[in-house]
Structure formats: structure tokens, C-alpha cells
Amino acid sequence: MKTIITYLVFISAISTAFAEDIIEPSRADFEVLESKIDSSEVSVQMVFENYINAIGGREKLEQVGSMVKEESMNIVSVFSGTETIMNSVVLTARDKSGKLASIVKADGVTTKTVYNGNSGYTELSTGFKMDFDENMLALYDKPVVFFPELNAPENAEIYVKTINGKEVFAVSYKADDITEVTSYFYKDSWLKVSETMINGDTESTMKYQDWAEYNGIKIPVKTMIVTNFETGKMMTEMSTKIEFNAPINSYIFSPMEEIAKNMAAIPSGVMSASMASETLLSNTSLALSSDNVSVESMEEVSFDMLNKREQHYKSILQALENEGGEVANTTSLATITVESDGEKYDIDKVSRDELSEMKYRRSSLYTLMLDDQTREHYHIIKDAFGNTELSEKFNNHNIGPYLIPGTGGEKDQTEHIENYLNANGVAKSLISRWFNRDENGAFNMSLVAERGQYDASDLNVKVAMESKRGRALLQDAGEELIGNTFVIVYDYKYTDKEEQAKKTGGFLNAISTVASFVPGGENIATIASLGEAASDVLGKGYFVRTTTYLYQLFWDEETANKFYTDFWIDESNLDDNKEAKFESTDFFKLKYVGSEVSRNNLQSTIFTSKTDEELIEIATIRAVDKNIGKLQRTFEDFRVKTPLLSGDPIKAKIGLKEGLEKGDKFEVLEQVLDDGKTSYKRIGTIKVDRRHIWDNTFMAEEADGALQNEDYTLFKGSSNKYASGMLIRQIN
């Protein structure tokens, strides 16, 4: 444990130095430096002063009193021929006096380091905490220099070098008795190309690939670091986001979990193992990037590294940072109205995108997964889940975070999940999403109106609370929409079939050996050998055990009345007391509906071209769909309604992905509106045609070896009775 603490503190100390005077491609990779420049031509002082002016000017840099810095890092190390990949995110808040708060999110552990000017500590997410001793206090108890270049080094030497057709100045000096630093500056723009630090047998190089401007100060926002040790090599790809003169006390005193939740997700898959090895083992070259890289282009690169759920969450956080910004509505505006008016018309040519926009009232869904970083293939599972598209049968009600910190093990996770949902106020956040709560605490009905196909003006709360029709509309919206808001949490467990096959093969081999000494045992030996061969052919792939936990937002008449009476405010009627009351309430709840377990055999053979990573990704995505289907079959409240594409033949765009099986029965419904209140009238029942079930599972066409001609399922039932747009719902 002490080793882990020391390592994490070491990372924290490096990340909080804020020195701009370290590293870049190795000295060994350069051509021989050209001769020294006469100091009368270009002085070290001149180079450093021009650099200061290029990044913002002396006056602006000297006014920086604090800095909050977030760095996302992909680290690849090779020692003794063994390659290790580690991803981390480090957030550091520090002021000139030396006060510090640092959060490190690495694979499997989060740590917080604090120094308040008098004392300090390091705390792990496991609950372990260690106070600073005298040595640690001495390490942190010193003023911070954010821009060392404000004071040019003494006894430095300066050279001119041409790299990739551009001239750079190389300034070399001793940082201390054993450390030699060389900084490289563009001759035309004066920005830094890179830096090299040599300390004994360790040589580090830092290449600045992109620059951006924050508060009028330019900083490098994408950096590649290569460190050569006597026994190995380490490469770090780093993206940086920074804020100057920001208050840091909130970081010092806020809980570690709260800060970590708002940090960027740990990057994964940015640098493949093969690419990292190739890069590490080849000569590192100094590739000069454009001097005019915008903040937008850099943020776009970093953004593209994230999976879709991480991108969505980052967009929400960015919107909240913008003054007056509102979180973008992720549910597309419906453009196709499907009404069951009894006419026989066919809409089976509608595209999947258009189908997802049809106006019928869907349940709303928020999905998460247990973030158990101890599980095998964690990063592949996380990104596959994060990139999985939500079924068009649901309204997308994802409110941001999608990972619940895992507890390890395979036991029932219900209590752990419920503790997370309650502690993080997820029910209240779902309601805030429904009513578009803004930064002033004001609500509006635009999303409810959109999803329920209501007239937004009819849903104005003032009118609704004063009229019979208004109350009916609110009750209808609550029952039809808000009360049908669900949360699903996935827990994945993977077993490598090849490992199981090896065990089976060993057992069969033993049988074969024993049988050879038994009279008449030739048949036994042959069977054992055939079994071993079969285990080789069928033994690749994964067994996937996926547990899904289903929760429903609790919304009844009492809850609705309390919300509209005690918490509702809008733009025209702001109320600080109601805003504060909603912020502090824990009144809103999620109720546990139940769970389902699926076991998938992701079959592959020795002839497969799929990598393990691809097989795991396929299995993860298929498990999402399969378990939703199982939950719908088991829990009636979670069953979704789907529009018919046509009434003759009777067909709908659902299939194996939704868990259809031969013999499944559905009721056909017509929607009836009575003074604003919705009800559904059953007009008949239909049954799945077992010969025409659509296989719409993920990558089904590849598994079957050919594309399917039909992208719908046929049903058996009375002809000339049903129409396009009528809704069907499973009843068995």
C-alpha cells in the first residue's frame, strides 16, 4: 500500500509542478547541433522575452495567482521487453502560495492529494488515508512558479538548428547540479517546439503538438512525452485543459468523489498496444505542427477520443459552464405523425431514422453500467457500452454520467446500485431533465409537450392548475410519460472459452492416455481425441453473463401535486425559496422493479478473423438488447408499444433484438383521447409468425453470412382489421 501511495503522490507532484521547462525528442535523435550563436546577435534573455510575449506578455503572466489544470494521459511503458498501458486523468488546482488539491483517476483507483498551507494528506478511493509527514510537508511547502521563463537561466548557451525546414533556437542550461535542460523555440513565432531534460541515466523529451489560448495566455494542450530510462522506456500522450485565476478552495474541501465525477472520463483505446510498441521502438522524430492551432481544433481531437456517452456527458458539462447555456435536448423533434385513423396505408418503406422520429408515446430510458475496473477486458466493455445506440423504441433520457463505481465480485449489486442512485439524486435529476430545469431553477413544459404531442400552451402550469382540462392534461402527461421513466444498470462478467477449452482438452487428453492402457479402450481413446479436437474448434469466444437491474421513477398523484405546489417555478415566476427547496430535497425516488440475468455464448471458431476485442464488443452490444427484451417479457410495466407498419400483411419493425420468440402474442391498441386524457382500446390480438421473425441483432447479417431481405416481423391475425400506426404491446 505504501508503494501505491508513493507512486500516486509522485504522479501528483509531477503534474502540479506547472513548470514549462521540461522535455522533448531525445538528444540522440537530433543531428549535431550547429555552432553556438554569438550573444551579441541573439541572447538567451532575448529568446525568453520573445517567448513570454508570444504566450501572453509579462504583465498578464505575472498576474496569474492560481491555476486549475486537467490532464488526460495515455501512458505506455516498456521495461525488460514487457509492455504496460495505463490511462489516467489528473486534475490539479494550485495557487502561488503553494496550496494544492490534486485528483488522480487511474485504472482501478482514484486518489486525492491536498496541501492547505499547513498540513496535507493523500486519500485513496478505497478509504485509505495518509497524512503528510515532515518530508512531504517540505516537498509541498514552497512558493509555486507557474512560468519559470519569466527569469532567464544564467550561464545558458544558445544554438541555431534547422528541423524539418524550420529554424529553431536551442537554449541549453543547468537546472541544478545534475540536471541539464535544453529548450527549443521556433525562430519565427517564438513558441516552444519542445524541451529535453537529462538527469543521470534518465532522459525525457516533451514535444508540444498543439497550442491553445486560455484567458489570453497560450499554453500547449496536446503533448507527447518520451522518457528513456536505463532499463526501459515510457511514452505519454497528454491532452490538457486549463483555467487561470480560478478559486481552488472548493477543490481542497470538496469530497474526492464529487470532483472525480465531473472530471473527464479516463481515455481508452486512443493508442493501441501495437501502435505504442511501434512508436516506442522506432526513432522518435521531431514533427513540427502548425503554429496556428485553434482551441476548437484541439478540443475536437480530444472529444473524438471519447466514446459516445462520454462525449454526451462532456457536452452537458460544457453547456453548464457557458453562462446562460442550456443542455441540448438529445431527443430529436418528431417529424412524422402516425395516427390510427383506420385507413389502410403502408409505411414499411420508412427508414430507420424516420421510424425513430414517429410520434407515439415511448417510455423514457436512462442506462448505466457498473464501473468495475477489476473485471477482465474492462476498457473494451466500457467503450462498447458507451458507443451502443439506445433503441428507438425508447426516449433517450440519459442525463450524463453512465458509470457507477463498482464494488468487485459477482454478488447481487442491488443495494450498492440503490445507494448510488440515492446519494447522487438520480430521481431528481431525471425530473429536472423532464422539465428542462435551467441555471435559475426555472422549469418549462417543452420536452413533455414534445414527447407527448401536446400543445405546449395547454400545459402551462398556471392554466393547468385552474382548469379541469389542464388538470387532465397534467395527469395524462404524468401517467403516459413521466411515470414511464426507467433506469437500467448493466453488470458484465466475461469468461474466456479458450481457457475453459484448454482445461477440457487437458482432461480429455488424460482420458485418452489412460484408455490406451485398457483392453478394448481404443474406442474410448478415439472419442476422447475427437472431443479434444472439437474443443479446439468450438473453444474460441466468450461466455457472457449480464445482469440488468431495472428501476422506475416513482410518480403518482401525490408526487405530482407536491412537485407543482412546492417546487415549480418558471421564467415569469422565479422564487429563490422554491429553488433552494428543490436543490436540497430528497423527496423524489426510484423504485426497484427487478432484475434479469442472461447468459450468452458468443461462438467463434479457430477459423475466425475476429480479434478478442471485436468478439467482446459484439457480445457487449448484443447483451444490451437481449436483456432489455428479457426485462420487457418479465415486467409488464416495462413493456413498450410499437406501431404497426401495415395492417395487411400485419408487420412491425421489431425482432430478435427485442426478444421475440415464436408463439409470442400481442394486443393491438387504438389510442383514445377524452378531454385530454389518454386511454387505449384493445381491438384484437395477433401472434408472431415463426417463419418470419426479423433477426435485427447486432451484426446478424455477418453471423448469417448474408444480408436479410426483410427488415420487419410478420404477425398472424384477422385481415382487414388493423391499420398502419396502430400500436401493439406484448401480452405473454
Side-chain angles (χ1 to χ4, degrees):
M1 178 63 73
K2 186 174 181 181
T3 302
I4 295 174
I5 291 285
T6 303
Y7 170 70
L8 292 170
V9 171
F10 171 70
I11 291 179
S12 177
I14 291 176
S15 66
T16 58
F18 295 116
E20 310 291 331
D21 58 349
I22 36 181
I23 49 192
E24 197 338 73
S26 148
R27 177 74 61 85
D29 295 324
F30 292 143
E31 301 170 21
V32 177
L33 290 174
E34 297 176 6
S35 59
K36 285 194 297 183
I37 298 174
D38 190 306
S39 60
S40 63
E41 298 175 5
V42 179
S43 67
V44 174
Q45 181 68 40
M46 173 186 170
V47 173
F48 273 61
E49 197 63 31
N50 282 330
Y51 170 75
I52 292 297
N53 291 333
I55 66 173
R58 181 172 293 272
E59 181 179 354
K60 186 175 288 291
L61 299 187
E62 288 178 342
Q63 290 174 353
V64 173
S66 67
M67 189 185 294
V68 177
K69 192 174 189 179
E70 182 173 315
E71 300 162 309
S72 299
M73 293 179 283
N74 287 16
I75 304 169
V76 181
S77 59
V78 177
F79 290 92
S80 303
T82 301
E83 180 180 283
T84 303
I85 299 178
M86 186 182 83
N87 298 315
S88 66
V89 179
V90 180
L91 184 145
T92 310
R94 199 163 194 179
D95 64 16
K96 277 188 174 179
S97 70
K99 289 183 179 178
L100 161 80
S102 177
I103 297 286
V104 180
K105 287 171 61 177
D107 291 357
V109 66
T110 301
T111 182
K112 181 179 182 181
T113 301
V114 168
Y115 176 68
N116 61 18
N118 299 309
S119 61
Y121 65 88
T122 295
E123 178 186 9
L124 294 181
S125 52
T126 58
F128 184 89
K129 187 174 181 180
M130 182 180 74
D131 292 327
F132 281 4
D133 58 18
E134 291 182 0
N135 293 330
M136 291 298 294
L137 289 173
L139 176 65
Y140 284 90
D141 187 19
K142 58 185 64 176
V144 175
V145 179
F146 294 126
F147 303 96
E149 297 85 353
L150 288 169
N151 299 306
E154 297 180 358
N155 302 320
E157 296 178 340
I158 185 167
Y159 303 80
V160 163
K161 173 67 181 170
T162 300
I163 303 175
N164 291 351
K166 286 192 175 184
E167 285 192 330
V168 299
F169 291 115
V171 179
S172 184
Y173 59 97
K174 287 275 191 178
D176 53 45
D177 292 339
I178 60 172
T179 306
E180 181 182 353
V181 177
T182 302
S183 301
Y184 300 87
F185 303 84
Y186 291 116
K187 192 175 180 181
D188 51 357
S189 68
W190 300 102
L191 291 179
K192 279 188 182 178
V193 181
S194 58
E195 288 179 308
T196 300
M197 176 184 288
I198 300 175
N199 187 317
D201 294 324
T202 301
E203 178 178 336
S204 294
T205 63
M206 177 179 285
K207 179 173 64 178
Y208 303 121
Q209 297 179 319
D210 290 313
W211 289 70
E213 186 172 301
Y214 288 89
N215 305 115
I217 299 175
K218 289 183 179 179
I219 65 159
V221 293
K222 187 176 181 182
T223 309
M224 183 66 72
I225 307 168
V226 178
T227 304
N228 293 289
F229 303 92
E230 187 175 11
T231 57
K233 198 165 190 173
M234 182 168 70
M235 183 172 69
T236 303
E237 185 180 68
M238 182 167 68
S239 298
T240 302
K241 182 179 179 182
I242 206 162
E243 186 177 4
F244 296 104
N245 292 323
I248 70 167
N249 280 347
S250 61
Y251 294 98
I252 291 176
F253 298 109
S254 294
M256 171 172 52
E257 297 80 9
E258 182 177 326
I259 302 173
K261 184 172 62 175
N262 293 318
M263 290 168 59
I266 295 177
S268 59
V270 178
M271 185 188 305
S272 68
S274 59
M275 182 174 71
S277 300
E278 183 179 346
T279 307
L280 282 169
L281 298 177
S282 64
N283 290 329
T284 306
S285 62
L286 182 58
L288 302 181
S289 59
S290 169
D291 299 344
N292 301 313
V293 179
S294 66
V295 179
E296 289 78 11
S297 65
M298 178 53 209
E299 289 181 345
E300 183 178 345
V301 171
S302 300
F303 191 77
D304 289 342
M305 292 177 179
L306 306 175
N307 66 49
K308 292 178 181 177
R309 291 293 292 275
E310 289 165 347
Q311 290 178 354
H312 174 63
Y313 188 31
K314 291 281 283 186
S315 297
I316 290 176
L317 296 178
Q318 185 62 51
L320 294 175
E321 287 179 6
N322 298 330
E323 186 176 355
E326 294 184 3
V327 177
N329 185 358
T330 57
T331 305
S332 302
L333 290 173
T335 57
I336 299 177
T337 301
V338 178
E339 298 173 347
S340 54
D341 56 7
E343 294 184 17
K344 305 295 189 294
Y345 60 95
D346 199 334
I347 55 172
D348 65 332
K349 303 302 181 185
V350 172
S351 71
R352 182 175 180 229
D353 289 340
E354 290 173 322
L355 179 68
S356 69
E357 295 175 346
M358 287 181 178
K359 280 190 174 181
Y360 65 97
R361 292 173 180 173
R362 302 169 175 85
S363 295
S364 296
L365 186 59
Y366 175 31
T367 60
L368 305 98
M369 66 168 278
L370 284 172
D371 185 35
D372 187 350
Q373 299 184 21
T374 65
R375 293 281 173 92
E376 191 177 3
H377 310 299
Y378 160 74
H379 286 298
I380 303 170
I381 298 166
K382 177 176 75 73
D383 278 346
F385 179 83
N387 284 322
T388 302
E389 299 275 348
L390 185 67
S391 169
E392 64 269 14
K393 306 301 185 295
F394 297 94
N395 289 320
N396 186 336
H397 214 73
N398 288 328
I399 54 177
Y402 72 103
L403 300 174
I404 296 179
T407 60
E410 299 179 40
K411 61 183 180 180
D412 180 31
Q413 300 279 355
T414 308
E415 183 178 356
H416 172 66
I417 294 170
E418 290 178 1
N419 288 339
Y420 172 88
L421 297 175
N422 292 331
N424 289 275
V426 171
K428 184 167 65 175
S429 296
L430 294 172
I431 291 170
S432 295
R433 170 82 176 96
W434 264 117
F435 295 103
N436 287 329
R437 189 170 190 262
D438 64 21
E439 67 276 5
N440 297 317
F443 301 104
N444 66 62
M445 284 287 191
S446 61
L447 182 61
V448 175
E450 174 199 325
R451 289 184 178 176
Q453 304 142 64
Y454 300 106
D455 184 328
S457 61
D458 282 347
L459 284 175
N460 182 284
V461 173
K462 287 184 177 179
V463 176
M465 296 301 288
E466 296 170 4
S467 68
K468 176 182 177 182
R469 175 169 170 76
R471 287 192 295 272
L473 281 170
L474 285 182
Q475 185 179 1
D476 188 62
E479 292 178 358
E480 280 285 291
L481 298 170
I482 302 170
N484 285 323
T485 304
F486 296 89
V487 175
I488 293 180
V489 181
Y490 291 83
D491 185 20
Y492 293 95
K493 170 65 176 176
Y494 281 69
T495 302
D496 190 329
K497 289 174 62 179
E498 195 164 16
E499 291 300 317
Q500 296 293 325
K502 287 178 181 178
K503 295 176 182 178
T504 305
F507 173 70
L508 292 170
N509 211 8
I511 292 177
S512 179
T513 301
V514 171
S516 64
F517 294 99
V518 177
E522 291 80 3
N523 290 335
I524 299 175
T526 301
I527 292 171
S529 298
L530 289 173
E532 186 174 1
S535 75
D536 286 339
V537 174
L538 301 176
K540 288 193 69 178
Y542 290 89
F543 293 113
V544 189
R545 180 181 183 272
T546 308
T547 306
T548 46
Y549 301 85
L550 179 65
Y551 298 83
Q552 185 174 12
L553 182 63
F554 189 80
W555 188 268
D556 61 3
E557 185 176 355
E558 179 185 351
T559 304
N561 288 338
K562 185 174 179 64
F563 171 73
Y564 293 123
T565 302
D566 293 358
F567 304 116
W568 178 273
I569 57 176
D570 56 32
E571 288 182 348
S572 63
N573 186 31
L574 297 177
D575 186 324
D576 291 342
N577 291 330
K578 284 189 174 182
E579 179 186 0
K581 191 173 182 180
F582 183 81
E583 289 283 356
S584 61
T585 188
D586 59 358
F587 173 74
F588 302 102
K589 301 294 182 184
L590 286 158
K591 59 182 179 182
Y592 176 61
V593 178
S595 65
E596 277 291 341
V597 177
S598 68
R599 294 172 176 83
N600 297 290
N601 178 2
L602 185 65
Q603 184 59 58
S604 183
T605 74
I606 57 175
F607 308 108
T608 186
S609 60
K610 297 292 183 189
T611 64
D612 283 354
E613 289 79 6
E614 289 171 323
L615 292 174
I616 294 165
E617 181 181 9
I618 294 168
T620 301
I621 295 172
R622 284 185 174 178
V624 169
D625 297 326
K626 182 172 183 177
N627 279 39
I628 285 180
K630 292 195 72 172
L631 289 169
Q632 289 177 14
R633 184 176 292 275
T634 305
F635 303 107
E636 186 174 349
D637 288 346
F638 189 55
R639 292 176 184 171
V640 300
K641 306 180 190 75
T642 304
L644 287 176
L645 292 178
S646 68
D648 188 14
I650 307 168
K651 56 186 177 182
K653 273 187 175 290
I654 54 175
L656 296 180
K657 175 179 173 180
E658 287 76 25
L660 281 193
E661 298 177 3
K662 62 180 181 180
D664 283 350
K665 294 181 181 179
F666 287 74
E667 57 182 345
V668 183
L669 307 169
E670 272 196 318
Q671 180 176 291
V672 179
L673 293 175
D674 183 8
D675 197 23
K677 190 76 166 59
T678 302
S679 61
Y680 294 93
K681 176 184 177 183
R682 180 192 284 196
I683 59 173
T685 60
I686 57 177
K687 186 177 180 180
V688 170
D689 185 341
R690 64 182 179 85
R691 295 171 300 176
H692 296 281
I693 301 177
W694 179 28
D695 186 356
N696 56 343
T697 54
F698 180 65
M699 295 188 71
E701 66 278 3
E702 184 168 329
D704 293 342
L707 291 173
Q708 299 185 79
N709 294 322
E710 299 176 347
D711 58 352
Y712 50 80
T713 292
L714 291 179
F715 297 82
K716 294 180 178 180
S718 300
S719 59
N720 300 317
K721 187 176 182 179
Y722 308 118
S724 303
M726 290 181 178
L727 299 174
I728 62 173
R729 180 172 58 191
Q730 191 168 354
I731 55 176
N732 70 331

